[in-house]
Amino acid sequence: MQHKIKIVEEINHCRLEILSEGASSDPVRIAQCVRKTLEGHSDNAHVKLLLENMENHQLGSNNLLELTFTDDPDFILGFFEVPYNPDAFLEAAFVEAIAIPQNVLDIVPESEALPVLLHCCSDGFKNPLSVAIFAENFRDAEVKPYHKAYYLIEKFVDRFKSYTRPAIEAAWSPTAFPDVITADDDLLTRASAIWVHLHEYYHRTGYLPLPEHLKEKSSRNGAGAEELRVDILSILALLDLHANDPVLRASIQYILAERLIRYPLQAPPKENYDARSSVALFEYLQRHGVIGRKGGRFYFVGGYARLGEALRSILVKITALEYRISQSPADDRKKKLSFLLPDLAKNNNRWELLS
Protein backbone atom coordinates (compact mmCIF):
# COMPACT_ATOMS: atom_id res chain seq x y z
CA MET A 1 0.00 0.00 0.00
CA GLN A 2 2.70 2.49 0.98
CA HIS A 3 4.56 1.84 -2.28
CA LYS A 4 1.51 2.77 -4.36
CA ILE A 5 0.86 5.85 -2.25
CA LYS A 6 4.45 6.94 -2.86
CA ILE A 7 4.05 6.40 -6.62
CA VAL A 8 0.93 8.58 -6.64
CA GLU A 9 2.84 11.29 -4.77
CA GLU A 10 5.68 11.11 -7.30
CA ILE A 11 3.24 11.25 -10.23
CA ASN A 12 1.65 14.32 -8.70
CA HIS A 13 5.05 15.97 -8.29
CA CYS A 14 5.87 15.24 -11.92
CA ARG A 15 2.54 16.52 -13.29
CA LEU A 16 2.84 19.74 -11.28
CA GLU A 17 6.37 20.31 -12.57
CA ILE A 18 5.31 19.78 -16.18
CA LEU A 19 2.21 21.95 -15.88
CA SER A 20 4.11 24.76 -14.15
CA GLU A 21 6.49 24.83 -17.12
CA GLY A 22 3.62 24.87 -19.63
CA ALA A 23 5.05 21.67 -21.12
CA SER A 24 1.93 19.49 -21.10
CA SER A 25 2.09 19.06 -24.89
CA ASP A 26 5.85 18.44 -25.03
CA PRO A 27 6.38 14.66 -25.02
CA VAL A 28 10.15 14.99 -24.77
CA ARG A 29 9.99 17.12 -21.62
CA ILE A 30 7.28 14.90 -20.17
CA ALA A 31 9.42 11.81 -20.77
CA GLN A 32 12.39 13.46 -19.05
CA CYS A 33 10.34 14.29 -15.99
CA VAL A 34 8.71 10.86 -15.79
CA ARG A 35 12.04 9.05 -16.05
CA LYS A 36 13.69 11.29 -13.48
CA THR A 37 10.82 10.98 -11.02
CA LEU A 38 9.72 7.37 -11.40
CA GLU A 39 12.68 5.24 -12.47
CA GLY A 40 13.14 4.13 -8.86
CA HIS A 41 9.66 2.56 -8.92
CA SER A 42 10.05 0.40 -12.02
CA ASP A 43 9.24 -2.72 -9.99
CA ASN A 44 5.61 -1.61 -10.21
CA ALA A 45 4.02 -2.94 -13.42
CA HIS A 46 2.20 0.30 -14.19
CA VAL A 47 5.30 2.43 -13.72
CA LYS A 48 7.39 0.00 -15.77
CA LEU A 49 4.92 0.24 -18.65
CA LEU A 50 4.73 4.03 -18.37
CA LEU A 51 8.52 4.24 -18.55
CA GLU A 52 8.49 2.03 -21.65
CA ASN A 53 5.91 4.34 -23.22
CA MET A 54 8.10 7.31 -22.42
CA GLU A 55 11.01 5.74 -24.29
CA ASN A 56 8.90 6.26 -27.42
CA HIS A 57 7.49 9.60 -26.19
CA GLN A 58 4.08 7.91 -26.21
CA LEU A 59 1.31 9.67 -24.31
CA GLY A 60 -1.37 7.25 -25.47
CA SER A 61 -2.37 5.15 -22.47
CA ASN A 62 -4.46 2.31 -23.83
CA ASN A 63 -1.92 -0.27 -22.67
CA LEU A 64 -2.03 1.23 -19.17
CA LEU A 65 -5.82 1.04 -19.25
CA GLU A 66 -5.60 -2.65 -20.14
CA LEU A 67 -3.08 -3.27 -17.37
CA THR A 68 -5.46 -1.83 -14.80
CA PHE A 69 -8.30 -4.11 -15.83
CA THR A 70 -6.26 -7.26 -16.39
CA ASP A 71 -3.60 -7.06 -13.69
CA ASP A 72 -4.21 -4.53 -10.92
CA PRO A 73 -7.70 -2.99 -10.75
CA ASP A 74 -6.79 -1.09 -7.57
CA PHE A 75 -4.28 1.12 -9.38
CA ILE A 76 -4.90 3.65 -12.14
CA LEU A 77 -2.11 5.40 -14.03
CA GLY A 78 -1.92 7.15 -17.36
CA PHE A 79 -2.48 10.28 -19.40
CA PHE A 80 -6.07 11.46 -19.46
CA GLU A 81 -8.35 13.67 -21.53
CA VAL A 82 -11.68 14.49 -19.88
CA PRO A 83 -13.97 17.07 -21.55
CA TYR A 84 -15.57 18.21 -18.27
CA ASN A 85 -12.32 18.13 -16.27
CA PRO A 86 -9.65 20.41 -17.73
CA ASP A 87 -7.33 19.51 -14.84
CA ALA A 88 -6.89 15.94 -16.08
CA PHE A 89 -3.41 15.24 -17.44
CA LEU A 90 -0.88 12.73 -16.07
CA GLU A 91 -2.81 11.12 -13.23
CA ALA A 92 -2.70 8.23 -10.80
CA ALA A 93 -5.02 6.81 -8.18
CA PHE A 94 -4.88 4.03 -5.62
CA VAL A 95 -8.38 2.77 -4.91
CA GLU A 96 -10.28 0.07 -3.07
CA ALA A 97 -13.44 -1.53 -4.43
CA ILE A 98 -16.57 -1.29 -2.29
CA ALA A 99 -18.45 -4.56 -1.87
CA ILE A 100 -22.06 -4.70 -3.02
CA PRO A 101 -24.39 -6.59 -0.63
CA GLN A 102 -25.20 -10.13 -1.71
CA ASN A 103 -28.95 -9.52 -1.74
CA VAL A 104 -28.39 -6.79 -4.34
CA LEU A 105 -26.02 -9.00 -6.33
CA ASP A 106 -28.70 -11.69 -6.34
CA ILE A 107 -30.87 -9.47 -8.55
CA VAL A 108 -28.11 -7.57 -10.39
CA PRO A 109 -24.95 -9.72 -10.39
CA GLU A 110 -22.97 -7.54 -12.80
CA SER A 111 -22.77 -3.84 -13.49
CA GLU A 112 -20.64 -1.52 -15.58
CA ALA A 113 -20.01 0.50 -12.41
CA LEU A 114 -17.11 -0.14 -10.05
CA PRO A 115 -17.66 1.91 -6.88
CA VAL A 116 -14.39 2.62 -5.10
CA LEU A 117 -12.85 4.44 -2.18
CA LEU A 118 -9.81 6.58 -2.87
CA HIS A 119 -6.75 5.84 -0.78
CA CYS A 120 -5.00 8.64 -2.65
CA CYS A 121 -4.95 10.31 -6.05
CA SER A 122 -3.15 12.98 -8.05
CA ASP A 123 -4.57 16.48 -8.19
CA GLY A 124 -6.36 16.15 -11.52
CA PHE A 125 -8.71 13.55 -10.06
CA LYS A 126 -9.50 15.89 -7.16
CA ASN A 127 -11.51 18.20 -9.41
CA PRO A 128 -15.08 18.26 -7.97
CA LEU A 129 -16.49 17.45 -11.41
CA SER A 130 -14.44 14.27 -11.58
CA VAL A 131 -16.80 11.87 -9.80
CA ALA A 132 -15.97 8.93 -12.07
CA ILE A 133 -13.11 7.65 -14.21
CA PHE A 134 -14.22 6.10 -17.48
CA ALA A 135 -12.16 3.97 -19.83
CA GLU A 136 -12.64 6.53 -22.60
CA ASN A 137 -10.91 9.11 -20.39
CA PHE A 138 -7.56 7.37 -20.94
CA ARG A 139 -5.77 9.03 -23.83
CA ASP A 140 -6.18 7.02 -27.07
CA ALA A 141 -8.26 4.39 -25.28
CA GLU A 142 -9.78 1.47 -27.14
CA VAL A 143 -12.83 0.89 -24.98
CA LYS A 144 -13.86 -2.74 -24.44
CA PRO A 145 -17.07 -4.17 -22.96
CA TYR A 146 -15.28 -5.33 -19.81
CA HIS A 147 -13.98 -1.85 -18.98
CA LYS A 148 -15.93 -0.61 -15.99
CA ALA A 149 -16.42 2.95 -14.80
CA TYR A 150 -14.68 3.76 -11.52
CA TYR A 151 -17.05 5.77 -9.32
CA LEU A 152 -15.28 7.82 -6.66
CA ILE A 153 -17.78 7.33 -3.88
CA GLU A 154 -16.36 9.84 -1.39
CA LYS A 155 -17.42 12.56 -3.80
CA PHE A 156 -20.98 11.24 -3.84
CA VAL A 157 -21.05 11.27 -0.05
CA ASP A 158 -19.61 14.79 0.05
CA ARG A 159 -22.26 16.05 -2.40
CA PHE A 160 -25.02 14.54 -0.31
CA LYS A 161 -23.69 16.14 2.85
CA SER A 162 -23.09 19.50 1.17
CA TYR A 163 -26.32 19.85 -0.82
CA THR A 164 -28.95 17.19 -0.25
CA ARG A 165 -28.92 16.78 3.51
CA PRO A 166 -29.09 20.54 4.25
CA ALA A 167 -32.01 20.85 1.81
CA ILE A 168 -33.83 17.98 3.53
CA GLU A 169 -33.23 19.51 6.94
CA ALA A 170 -34.48 22.90 5.75
CA ALA A 171 -37.62 21.91 3.86
CA TRP A 172 -38.71 18.33 4.56
CA SER A 173 -40.42 16.51 7.39
CA PRO A 174 -38.11 14.31 9.50
CA THR A 175 -40.27 11.36 8.42
CA ALA A 176 -39.46 11.80 4.72
CA PHE A 177 -35.86 10.58 4.73
CA PRO A 178 -35.36 9.33 8.31
CA ASP A 179 -32.46 6.94 7.73
CA VAL A 180 -30.21 9.09 5.56
CA ILE A 181 -30.74 12.31 7.46
CA THR A 182 -28.80 10.81 10.38
CA ALA A 183 -26.64 8.33 8.43
CA ASP A 184 -22.91 8.23 9.05
CA ASP A 185 -20.35 8.19 6.24
CA ASP A 186 -20.16 4.40 6.22
CA LEU A 187 -23.87 4.01 5.55
CA LEU A 188 -23.84 6.78 2.95
CA THR A 189 -20.88 5.09 1.28
CA ARG A 190 -22.71 1.78 1.04
CA ALA A 191 -25.87 3.47 -0.24
CA SER A 192 -23.87 5.35 -2.88
CA ALA A 193 -22.19 2.14 -4.03
CA ILE A 194 -25.54 0.38 -4.39
CA TRP A 195 -26.90 3.36 -6.31
CA VAL A 196 -24.17 3.43 -8.97
CA HIS A 197 -24.20 -0.38 -9.26
CA LEU A 198 -27.91 -0.42 -10.06
CA HIS A 199 -27.88 2.83 -12.03
CA GLU A 200 -25.33 1.64 -14.59
CA TYR A 201 -27.01 -1.74 -14.91
CA TYR A 202 -30.45 -0.31 -15.64
CA HIS A 203 -29.07 2.04 -18.29
CA ARG A 204 -28.50 -1.10 -20.33
CA THR A 205 -32.04 -2.42 -20.01
CA GLY A 206 -35.37 -1.58 -21.62
CA TYR A 207 -36.58 -1.04 -25.17
CA LEU A 208 -34.03 1.71 -25.88
CA PRO A 209 -30.97 0.75 -23.81
CA LEU A 210 -27.69 2.62 -23.69
CA PRO A 211 -25.23 2.92 -25.24
CA GLU A 212 -26.97 1.76 -28.43
CA HIS A 213 -29.61 4.50 -28.21
CA LEU A 214 -27.52 7.28 -26.70
CA LYS A 215 -28.11 9.54 -29.70
CA GLU A 216 -31.89 9.28 -29.40
CA LYS A 217 -31.64 10.20 -25.71
CA SER A 218 -29.12 13.01 -26.13
CA SER A 219 -31.48 15.99 -25.77
CA ARG A 220 -31.74 17.52 -22.29
CA ASN A 221 -35.26 16.17 -21.91
CA GLY A 222 -34.36 12.77 -23.32
CA ALA A 223 -31.29 12.41 -21.11
CA GLY A 224 -33.23 13.57 -18.07
CA ALA A 225 -35.97 11.03 -18.74
CA GLU A 226 -33.37 8.28 -19.01
CA GLU A 227 -31.76 9.25 -15.69
CA LEU A 228 -35.17 9.32 -14.05
CA ARG A 229 -36.06 5.93 -15.55
CA VAL A 230 -33.00 4.13 -14.22
CA ASP A 231 -33.27 5.62 -10.75
CA ILE A 232 -36.93 4.67 -10.51
CA LEU A 233 -36.02 1.14 -11.55
CA SER A 234 -33.32 1.10 -8.86
CA ILE A 235 -35.67 2.35 -6.15
CA LEU A 236 -38.40 -0.12 -7.08
CA ALA A 237 -35.94 -3.02 -7.12
CA LEU A 238 -34.82 -2.11 -3.61
CA LEU A 239 -38.39 -1.59 -2.39
CA ASP A 240 -39.14 -5.14 -3.52
CA LEU A 241 -36.05 -6.39 -1.70
CA HIS A 242 -35.54 -4.45 1.46
CA ALA A 243 -37.63 -6.36 4.06
CA ASN A 244 -36.41 -4.04 6.82
CA ASP A 245 -32.78 -4.28 5.74
CA PRO A 246 -31.37 -0.97 7.09
CA VAL A 247 -28.79 -0.59 4.30
CA LEU A 248 -31.34 -1.13 1.56
CA ARG A 249 -33.84 1.14 3.30
CA ALA A 250 -31.23 3.89 3.48
CA SER A 251 -30.29 3.27 -0.16
CA ILE A 252 -33.90 3.79 -1.26
CA GLN A 253 -34.06 7.10 0.57
CA TYR A 254 -30.62 8.12 -0.68
CA ILE A 255 -31.37 7.50 -4.37
CA LEU A 256 -34.74 9.21 -4.07
CA ALA A 257 -33.29 12.25 -2.29
CA GLU A 258 -30.52 12.67 -4.84
CA ARG A 259 -32.87 12.36 -7.81
CA LEU A 260 -35.66 14.45 -6.32
CA ILE A 261 -33.77 17.20 -4.50
CA ARG A 262 -30.08 17.71 -5.24
CA TYR A 263 -29.68 18.38 -8.93
CA PRO A 264 -31.57 21.71 -9.14
CA LEU A 265 -29.48 22.93 -6.22
CA GLN A 266 -26.34 22.60 -8.34
CA ALA A 267 -27.55 23.57 -11.81
CA PRO A 268 -30.58 25.33 -13.34
CA PRO A 269 -33.13 23.01 -14.99
CA LYS A 270 -33.03 25.09 -18.15
CA GLU A 271 -29.41 24.03 -18.66
CA ASN A 272 -29.12 20.66 -16.94
CA TYR A 273 -30.88 17.40 -17.79
CA ASP A 274 -30.52 15.90 -14.30
CA ALA A 275 -32.11 19.01 -12.79
CA ARG A 276 -34.99 18.74 -15.25
CA SER A 277 -35.62 15.17 -14.14
CA SER A 278 -35.79 16.37 -10.53
CA VAL A 279 -38.32 19.07 -11.37
CA ALA A 280 -40.45 16.69 -13.43
CA LEU A 281 -40.48 14.08 -10.66
CA PHE A 282 -41.35 16.62 -7.97
CA GLU A 283 -44.12 18.21 -10.02
CA TYR A 284 -45.63 14.83 -10.88
CA LEU A 285 -45.59 13.59 -7.29
CA GLN A 286 -46.99 16.84 -5.94
CA ARG A 287 -49.72 17.02 -8.58
CA HIS A 288 -50.81 13.46 -7.76
CA GLY A 289 -50.92 14.13 -4.03
CA VAL A 290 -47.90 12.02 -3.14
CA ILE A 291 -45.90 15.03 -1.93
CA GLY A 292 -47.81 17.18 0.52
CA ARG A 293 -46.91 20.15 2.66
CA LYS A 294 -47.71 20.70 6.30
CA GLY A 295 -46.28 23.24 8.70
CA GLY A 296 -44.08 24.58 5.92
CA ARG A 297 -42.43 21.21 5.29
CA PHE A 298 -42.83 18.65 2.53
CA TYR A 299 -43.69 15.05 3.32
CA PHE A 300 -44.79 11.89 1.51
CA VAL A 301 -48.54 11.42 1.82
CA GLY A 302 -49.11 7.73 2.52
CA GLY A 303 -45.42 7.10 3.09
CA TYR A 304 -43.21 4.98 0.89
CA ALA A 305 -46.00 2.54 0.04
CA ARG A 306 -47.91 5.19 -1.89
CA LEU A 307 -44.68 6.66 -3.24
CA GLY A 308 -43.77 3.26 -4.66
CA GLU A 309 -47.13 3.06 -6.44
CA ALA A 310 -46.58 6.49 -7.98
CA LEU A 311 -43.09 5.56 -9.15
CA ARG A 312 -44.45 2.39 -10.74
CA SER A 313 -47.01 4.51 -12.55
CA ILE A 314 -44.26 6.77 -13.94
CA LEU A 315 -42.24 3.73 -14.97
CA VAL A 316 -45.23 2.26 -16.82
CA LYS A 317 -45.59 5.54 -18.73
CA ILE A 318 -41.90 5.63 -19.62
CA THR A 319 -41.79 1.96 -20.60
CA ALA A 320 -44.89 2.21 -22.79
CA LEU A 321 -43.54 5.33 -24.48
CA GLU A 322 -40.14 3.74 -25.10
CA TYR A 323 -41.79 0.69 -26.62
CA ARG A 324 -43.85 2.82 -29.01
CA ILE A 325 -40.83 4.92 -29.89
CA SER A 326 -38.70 1.82 -30.47
CA GLN A 327 -41.14 0.84 -33.21
CA SER A 328 -40.85 4.21 -34.95
CA PRO A 329 -38.15 5.35 -37.40
CA ALA A 330 -34.83 6.13 -35.72
CA ASP A 331 -34.86 9.72 -36.99
CA ASP A 332 -38.10 10.44 -35.08
CA ARG A 333 -37.10 8.97 -31.73
CA LYS A 334 -35.10 11.87 -30.29
CA LYS A 335 -37.96 14.33 -30.81
CA LYS A 336 -40.57 11.99 -29.37
CA LEU A 337 -38.49 11.21 -26.29
CA SER A 338 -38.10 14.93 -25.60
CA PHE A 339 -41.81 15.23 -24.75
CA LEU A 340 -41.76 12.93 -21.71
CA LEU A 341 -40.31 15.19 -19.01
CA PRO A 342 -42.46 18.22 -19.91
CA ASP A 343 -45.49 15.93 -19.81
CA LEU A 344 -44.60 14.71 -16.32
CA ALA A 345 -43.97 18.28 -15.16
CA LYS A 346 -46.92 19.78 -17.10
CA ASN A 347 -44.78 22.85 -17.70
CA ASN A 348 -45.00 23.22 -21.48
CA ASN A 349 -41.22 22.74 -21.56
CA ARG A 350 -40.68 26.11 -19.84
CA TRP A 351 -37.88 25.09 -17.50
CA GLU A 352 -36.66 28.62 -16.90
CA LEU A 353 -39.73 29.25 -14.74
CA LEU A 354 -38.64 26.46 -12.40
CA SER A 355 -34.93 27.16 -12.14
Side-chain angles (χ1 to χ4, degrees), residues 77-96:
L77 174 62
F79 291 90
F80 291 81
E81 291 179 334
V82 186
Y84 52 84
N85 179 10
D87 297 335
F89 172 50
L90 171 61
E91 309 297 343
F94 177 29
V95 303
E96 178 183 347

PDB file of all heavy atoms in Angstrom, residues 77-96:
ATOM      1  N   LEU A  77      -3.233   4.534 -13.647  1.00  0.00           N
ATOM      2  CA  LEU A  77      -2.112   5.397 -14.031  1.00  0.00           C
ATOM      3  C   LEU A  77      -2.174   5.634 -15.532  1.00  0.00           C
ATOM      4  O   LEU A  77      -2.448   4.710 -16.306  1.00  0.00           O
ATOM      5  CB  LEU A  77      -0.778   4.731 -13.661  1.00  0.00           C
ATOM      6  CG  LEU A  77       0.510   5.433 -14.120  1.00  0.00           C
ATOM      7  CD1 LEU A  77       0.635   6.814 -13.496  1.00  0.00           C
ATOM      8  CD2 LEU A  77       1.733   4.578 -13.778  1.00  0.00           C
ATOM      9  N   GLY A  78      -1.948   6.870 -15.937  1.00  0.00           N
ATOM     10  CA  GLY A  78      -1.918   7.153 -17.364  1.00  0.00           C
ATOM     11  C   GLY A  78      -2.090   8.631 -17.647  1.00  0.00           C
ATOM     12  O   GLY A  78      -2.164   9.471 -16.739  1.00  0.00           O
ATOM     13  N   PHE A  79      -2.170   8.930 -18.938  1.00  0.00           N
ATOM     14  CA  PHE A  79      -2.483  10.281 -19.399  1.00  0.00           C
ATOM     15  C   PHE A  79      -3.970  10.315 -19.754  1.00  0.00           C
ATOM     16  O   PHE A  79      -4.483   9.389 -20.395  1.00  0.00           O
ATOM     17  CB  PHE A  79      -1.631  10.647 -20.612  1.00  0.00           C
ATOM     18  CG  PHE A  79      -0.175  10.831 -20.286  1.00  0.00           C
ATOM     19  CD1 PHE A  79       0.707   9.761 -20.353  1.00  0.00           C
ATOM     20  CD2 PHE A  79       0.307  12.072 -19.893  1.00  0.00           C
ATOM     21  CE1 PHE A  79       2.053   9.924 -20.041  1.00  0.00           C
ATOM     22  CE2 PHE A  79       1.651  12.248 -19.579  1.00  0.00           C
ATOM     23  CZ  PHE A  79       2.524  11.171 -19.647  1.00  0.00           C
ATOM     24  N   PHE A  80      -4.622  11.398 -19.355  1.00  0.00           N
ATOM     25  CA  PHE A  80      -6.075  11.458 -19.460  1.00  0.00           C
ATOM     26  C   PHE A  80      -6.527  12.707 -20.208  1.00  0.00           C
ATOM     27  O   PHE A  80      -5.890  13.765 -20.139  1.00  0.00           O
ATOM     28  CB  PHE A  80      -6.711  11.449 -18.060  1.00  0.00           C
ATOM     29  CG  PHE A  80      -6.567  10.138 -17.348  1.00  0.00           C
ATOM     30  CD1 PHE A  80      -5.384   9.816 -16.696  1.00  0.00           C
ATOM     31  CD2 PHE A  80      -7.595   9.215 -17.348  1.00  0.00           C
ATOM     32  CE1 PHE A  80      -5.229   8.598 -16.049  1.00  0.00           C
ATOM     33  CE2 PHE A  80      -7.454   7.994 -16.713  1.00  0.00           C
ATOM     34  CZ  PHE A  80      -6.271   7.684 -16.061  1.00  0.00           C
ATOM     35  N   GLU A  81      -7.650  12.552 -20.898  1.00  0.00           N
ATOM     36  CA  GLU A  81      -8.349  13.675 -21.527  1.00  0.00           C
ATOM     37  C   GLU A  81      -9.816  13.558 -21.151  1.00  0.00           C
ATOM     38  O   GLU A  81     -10.488  12.592 -21.539  1.00  0.00           O
ATOM     39  CB  GLU A  81      -8.179  13.638 -23.048  1.00  0.00           C
ATOM     40  CG  GLU A  81      -6.758  13.928 -23.515  1.00  0.00           C
ATOM     41  CD  GLU A  81      -6.615  13.865 -25.024  1.00  0.00           C
ATOM     42  OE1 GLU A  81      -7.424  13.148 -25.664  1.00  0.00           O
ATOM     43  OE2 GLU A  81      -5.708  14.520 -25.564  1.00  0.00           O
ATOM     44  N   VAL A  82     -10.308  14.532 -20.386  1.00  0.00           N
ATOM     45  CA  VAL A  82     -11.680  14.487 -19.882  1.00  0.00           C
ATOM     46  C   VAL A  82     -12.345  15.818 -20.223  1.00  0.00           C
ATOM     47  O   VAL A  82     -11.930  16.862 -19.713  1.00  0.00           O
ATOM     48  CB  VAL A  82     -11.707  14.257 -18.357  1.00  0.00           C
ATOM     49  CG1 VAL A  82     -13.144  14.076 -17.877  1.00  0.00           C
ATOM     50  CG2 VAL A  82     -10.852  13.049 -17.978  1.00  0.00           C
ATOM     51  N   PRO A  83     -13.370  15.808 -21.085  1.00  0.00           N
ATOM     52  CA  PRO A  83     -13.967  17.068 -21.549  1.00  0.00           C
ATOM     53  C   PRO A  83     -14.443  17.983 -20.420  1.00  0.00           C
ATOM     54  O   PRO A  83     -14.299  19.202 -20.506  1.00  0.00           O
ATOM     55  CB  PRO A  83     -15.145  16.597 -22.412  1.00  0.00           C
ATOM     56  CG  PRO A  83     -14.778  15.217 -22.847  1.00  0.00           C
ATOM     57  CD  PRO A  83     -13.985  14.634 -21.724  1.00  0.00           C
ATOM     58  N   TYR A  84     -15.012  17.403 -19.357  1.00  0.00           N
ATOM     59  CA  TYR A  84     -15.565  18.214 -18.273  1.00  0.00           C
ATOM     60  C   TYR A  84     -14.565  18.445 -17.137  1.00  0.00           C
ATOM     61  O   TYR A  84     -14.905  19.048 -16.126  1.00  0.00           O
ATOM     62  CB  TYR A  84     -16.838  17.558 -17.717  1.00  0.00           C
ATOM     63  CG  TYR A  84     -16.657  16.100 -17.337  1.00  0.00           C
ATOM     64  CD1 TYR A  84     -16.142  15.739 -16.105  1.00  0.00           C
ATOM     65  CD2 TYR A  84     -16.992  15.096 -18.239  1.00  0.00           C
ATOM     66  CE1 TYR A  84     -15.953  14.406 -15.770  1.00  0.00           C
ATOM     67  CE2 TYR A  84     -16.814  13.755 -17.909  1.00  0.00           C
ATOM     68  CZ  TYR A  84     -16.299  13.424 -16.679  1.00  0.00           C
ATOM     69  OH  TYR A  84     -16.113  12.100 -16.352  1.00  0.00           O
ATOM     70  N   ASN A  85     -13.345  17.952 -17.305  1.00  0.00           N
ATOM     71  CA  ASN A  85     -12.323  18.128 -16.271  1.00  0.00           C
ATOM     72  C   ASN A  85     -11.024  18.596 -16.914  1.00  0.00           C
ATOM     73  O   ASN A  85     -10.156  17.790 -17.252  1.00  0.00           O
ATOM     74  CB  ASN A  85     -12.101  16.827 -15.504  1.00  0.00           C
ATOM     75  CG  ASN A  85     -11.028  16.967 -14.421  1.00  0.00           C
ATOM     76  OD1 ASN A  85     -10.573  18.068 -14.122  1.00  0.00           O
ATOM     77  ND2 ASN A  85     -10.618  15.848 -13.840  1.00  0.00           N
ATOM     78  N   PRO A  86     -10.857  19.900 -17.077  1.00  0.00           N
ATOM     79  CA  PRO A  86      -9.647  20.407 -17.734  1.00  0.00           C
ATOM     80  C   PRO A  86      -8.375  20.168 -16.934  1.00  0.00           C
ATOM     81  O   PRO A  86      -7.272  20.323 -17.469  1.00  0.00           O
ATOM     82  CB  PRO A  86      -9.932  21.913 -17.865  1.00  0.00           C
ATOM     83  CG  PRO A  86     -10.926  22.209 -16.788  1.00  0.00           C
ATOM     84  CD  PRO A  86     -11.774  20.976 -16.673  1.00  0.00           C
ATOM     85  N   ASP A  87      -8.510  19.780 -15.667  1.00  0.00           N
ATOM     86  CA  ASP A  87      -7.329  19.512 -14.843  1.00  0.00           C
ATOM     87  C   ASP A  87      -6.677  18.171 -15.167  1.00  0.00           C
ATOM     88  O   ASP A  87      -5.526  17.929 -14.788  1.00  0.00           O
ATOM     89  CB  ASP A  87      -7.707  19.522 -13.357  1.00  0.00           C
ATOM     90  CG  ASP A  87      -8.211  20.875 -12.888  1.00  0.00           C
ATOM     91  OD1 ASP A  87      -7.843  21.884 -13.512  1.00  0.00           O
ATOM     92  OD2 ASP A  87      -8.981  20.917 -11.910  1.00  0.00           O
ATOM     93  N   ALA A  88      -7.408  17.285 -15.828  1.00  0.00           N
ATOM     94  CA  ALA A  88      -6.891  15.939 -16.078  1.00  0.00           C
ATOM     95  C   ALA A  88      -5.686  15.987 -17.012  1.00  0.00           C
ATOM     96  O   ALA A  88      -5.716  16.624 -18.063  1.00  0.00           O
ATOM     97  CB  ALA A  88      -7.984  15.056 -16.670  1.00  0.00           C
ATOM     98  N   PHE A  89      -4.635  15.274 -16.630  1.00  0.00           N
ATOM     99  CA  PHE A  89      -3.407  15.236 -17.435  1.00  0.00           C
ATOM    100  C   PHE A  89      -2.707  13.904 -17.144  1.00  0.00           C
ATOM    101  O   PHE A  89      -3.229  12.845 -17.466  1.00  0.00           O
ATOM    102  CB  PHE A  89      -2.535  16.460 -17.105  1.00  0.00           C
ATOM    103  CG  PHE A  89      -1.175  16.444 -17.730  1.00  0.00           C
ATOM    104  CD1 PHE A  89      -1.016  16.197 -19.093  1.00  0.00           C
ATOM    105  CD2 PHE A  89      -0.033  16.668 -16.961  1.00  0.00           C
ATOM    106  CE1 PHE A  89       0.251  16.168 -19.675  1.00  0.00           C
ATOM    107  CE2 PHE A  89       1.232  16.652 -17.526  1.00  0.00           C
ATOM    108  CZ  PHE A  89       1.367  16.395 -18.883  1.00  0.00           C
ATOM    109  N   LEU A  90      -1.546  13.933 -16.555  1.00  0.00           N
ATOM    110  CA  LEU A  90      -0.876  12.726 -16.069  1.00  0.00           C
ATOM    111  C   LEU A  90      -1.403  12.467 -14.662  1.00  0.00           C
ATOM    112  O   LEU A  90      -1.186  13.281 -13.761  1.00  0.00           O
ATOM    113  CB  LEU A  90       0.640  12.923 -16.049  1.00  0.00           C
ATOM    114  CG  LEU A  90       1.476  11.834 -15.362  1.00  0.00           C
ATOM    115  CD1 LEU A  90       1.296  10.482 -16.037  1.00  0.00           C
ATOM    116  CD2 LEU A  90       2.950  12.232 -15.328  1.00  0.00           C
ATOM    117  N   GLU A  91      -2.111  11.352 -14.495  1.00  0.00           N
ATOM    118  CA  GLU A  91      -2.808  11.119 -13.229  1.00  0.00           C
ATOM    119  C   GLU A  91      -2.574   9.700 -12.723  1.00  0.00           C
ATOM    120  O   GLU A  91      -2.249   8.789 -13.497  1.00  0.00           O
ATOM    121  CB  GLU A  91      -4.320  11.344 -13.391  1.00  0.00           C
ATOM    122  CG  GLU A  91      -4.715  12.663 -14.024  1.00  0.00           C
ATOM    123  CD  GLU A  91      -4.322  13.889 -13.215  1.00  0.00           C
ATOM    124  OE1 GLU A  91      -4.022  13.747 -12.010  1.00  0.00           O
ATOM    125  OE2 GLU A  91      -4.305  14.993 -13.787  1.00  0.00           O
ATOM    126  N   ALA A  92      -2.786   9.549 -11.427  1.00  0.00           N
ATOM    127  CA  ALA A  92      -2.701   8.232 -10.799  1.00  0.00           C
ATOM    128  C   ALA A  92      -3.659   8.189  -9.621  1.00  0.00           C
ATOM    129  O   ALA A  92      -3.957   9.219  -9.004  1.00  0.00           O
ATOM    130  CB  ALA A  92      -1.275   7.941 -10.328  1.00  0.00           C
ATOM    131  N   ALA A  93      -4.139   6.991  -9.331  1.00  0.00           N
ATOM    132  CA  ALA A  93      -5.023   6.811  -8.181  1.00  0.00           C
ATOM    133  C   ALA A  93      -4.856   5.402  -7.635  1.00  0.00           C
ATOM    134  O   ALA A  93      -4.703   4.437  -8.392  1.00  0.00           O
ATOM    135  CB  ALA A  93      -6.478   7.054  -8.570  1.00  0.00           C
ATOM    136  N   PHE A  94      -4.888   5.312  -6.326  1.00  0.00           N
ATOM    137  CA  PHE A  94      -4.875   4.030  -5.624  1.00  0.00           C
ATOM    138  C   PHE A  94      -6.232   3.901  -4.954  1.00  0.00           C
ATOM    139  O   PHE A  94      -6.605   4.735  -4.127  1.00  0.00           O
ATOM    140  CB  PHE A  94      -3.737   4.015  -4.608  1.00  0.00           C
ATOM    141  CG  PHE A  94      -3.656   2.777  -3.759  1.00  0.00           C
ATOM    142  CD1 PHE A  94      -4.096   1.541  -4.218  1.00  0.00           C
ATOM    143  CD2 PHE A  94      -3.115   2.854  -2.480  1.00  0.00           C
ATOM    144  CE1 PHE A  94      -4.015   0.410  -3.424  1.00  0.00           C
ATOM    145  CE2 PHE A  94      -3.022   1.731  -1.676  1.00  0.00           C
ATOM    146  CZ  PHE A  94      -3.477   0.506  -2.153  1.00  0.00           C
ATOM    147  N   VAL A  95      -6.988   2.878  -5.335  1.00  0.00           N
ATOM    148  CA  VAL A  95      -8.383   2.774  -4.911  1.00  0.00           C
ATOM    149  C   VAL A  95      -8.656   1.413  -4.280  1.00  0.00           C
ATOM    150  O   VAL A  95      -7.852   0.483  -4.381  1.00  0.00           O
ATOM    151  CB  VAL A  95      -9.340   2.992  -6.105  1.00  0.00           C
ATOM    152  CG1 VAL A  95      -9.097   4.343  -6.764  1.00  0.00           C
ATOM    153  CG2 VAL A  95      -9.219   1.859  -7.129  1.00  0.00           C
ATOM    154  N   GLU A  96      -9.822   1.326  -3.664  1.00  0.00           N
ATOM    155  CA  GLU A  96     -10.276   0.067  -3.070  1.00  0.00           C
ATOM    156  C   GLU A  96     -11.743  -0.128  -3.427  1.00  0.00           C
ATOM    157  O   GLU A  96     -12.569   0.760  -3.179  1.00  0.00           O
ATOM    158  CB  GLU A  96     -10.116   0.107  -1.550  1.00  0.00           C
ATOM    159  CG  GLU A  96     -10.610  -1.141  -0.841  1.00  0.00           C
ATOM    160  CD  GLU A  96     -10.489  -1.021   0.669  1.00  0.00           C
ATOM    161  OE1 GLU A  96      -9.810  -0.082   1.150  1.00  0.00           O
ATOM    162  OE2 GLU A  96     -11.080  -1.866   1.369  1.00  0.00           O
TER     163      GLU A  96
END
